Amino acid sequence: MSETMKDYSEKRDFHRMTMNSEIELTDSNGVAIPGICRDLSGTGMQLYVERAFAEGDEIHTLLPSTSEQFPPFETVCRVLRCVPDGDGFLLGMEIVKVKR
């Protein structure tokens, strides 16, 4: 890892938690799209989806609960980047609002 990369990663305000959880996205037209949440932090998430989104698109997400003790995690996110990855796309998402 280069010194520049190391410096940048250490400046993150929130720890990034690696996941591989199913997540449901809803686009601005109300269409539900399945995806995989690859990682999650206090300010954003990285998602794998089968279709491209534009930078700036607002998407609602629902991460189902894995336990009775925790409610589902619902957010409104903004697409920061969308890059091809295998048969789909990796989305860099900024969490704009946590619904619950």
Side-chain angles (χ1 to χ4, degrees):
M1 181 185 293
S2 75
E3 196 60 28
T4 307
M5 287 295 291
K6 185 174 161 214
D7 289 346
Y8 176 77
S9 65
E10 289 174 357
K11 290 180 182 173
R12 288 189 184 274
D13 291 333
F14 292 94
H15 178 71
R16 191 168 288 270
M17 183 172 61
T18 302
M19 311 177 73
N20 226 5
S21 303
E22 290 182 11
I23 191 166
E24 184 178 296
L25 291 68
T26 306
D27 69 13
S28 58
N29 296 318
V31 177
I33 300 113
I36 302 291
C37 181
R38 294 276 173 87
D39 65 48
L40 177 65
S41 78
T43 59
M45 59 180 85
Q46 183 181 67
L47 307 178
Y48 176 82
V49 294
E50 292 183 354
R51 68 167 250 213
F53 286 89
E55 239 177 72
D57 280 358
E58 198 169 90
I59 298 172
H60 292 249
T61 68
L62 173 62
L63 192 60
S65 175
T66 55
S67 163
E68 290 283 321
Q69 298 163 330
F70 299 103
F73 184 60
E74 288 186 63
T75 70
V76 177
C77 291
R78 182 177 302 115
V79 178
L80 297 178
R81 68 189 162 282
C82 178
V83 294
D85 183 63
D87 292 335
F89 299 88
L90 279 179
L91 302 178
M93 309 288 286
E94 173 190 21
I95 297 172
V96 177
K97 179 181 177 186
V98 175
K99 293 170 74 175
R100 73 169 169 176

